[in-house]
Amino acid sequence: MHLAYPAVLAALLFCTGLYGVLARRNAILVLMSVELMLNAVNLNLVAFDVWLRDTLHAGQALTLFTIAVAAAEIGIGLAIVLMVYRNRGTADIDRLRDTAEPADARNRPSDPNNPNNPSNPSNPSEVTA
């Protein structure tokens, strides 16, 4: 087998993943694009390992390590995306650039509508029987 076939396929996969990372606005699609890029790297590692006829199969061992790292990355990445979606209500990357809490959502002790305000008469901890 020629080395050109898997190398071209890996280049196409990597370019597709790169386009997805740069053009997509949804965080989950960006994570999927990163996975495409990692799979392109894995394909290159295995192809060069077969082409060089390495007796230790270092390319295949490194591929297994890359797959394990990719699985951990997607697990942690999806957990972060889900927490951000629960808190913000969107997974749009353009809206998530500012990770700081908005000024309107901070607890202010002088806010009469804040249920955590000790001076709020509707605070259940202040109600006595």
Side-chain angles (χ1 to χ4, degrees), residues 4 6 11 17 24-25 31-32 38-39 46 48 60 76 91 94 104 106 117 126:
R24 299 292 178 185
R25 298 185 190 276
L31 286 173
M32 288 174 60
L38 287 172
N39 285 331
V46 171
F48 276 97
Q60 293 178 18
I76 292 172
D94 289 338
D104 297 338
R106 292 187 184 137
N117 188 0
E126 295 291 324

Side-chain angles (χ1 to χ4, degrees), residues 18-47:
L18 186 63
Y19 172 75
V21 167
L22 296 176
R24 299 292 178 185
R25 298 185 190 276
N26 191 346
I28 294 176
L29 292 177
V30 169
L31 286 173
M32 288 174 60
S33 298
V34 170
E35 289 295 319
L36 269 178
M37 293 168 65
L38 287 172
N39 285 331
V41 170
N42 288 338
L43 182 60
N44 267 334
L45 284 171
V46 171

Side-chain angles (χ1 to χ4, degrees), residues 51-62:
W51 185 63
L52 293 173
R53 293 182 178 89
D54 186 17
T55 56
L56 294 177
H57 299 292
Q60 293 178 18
L62 190 56

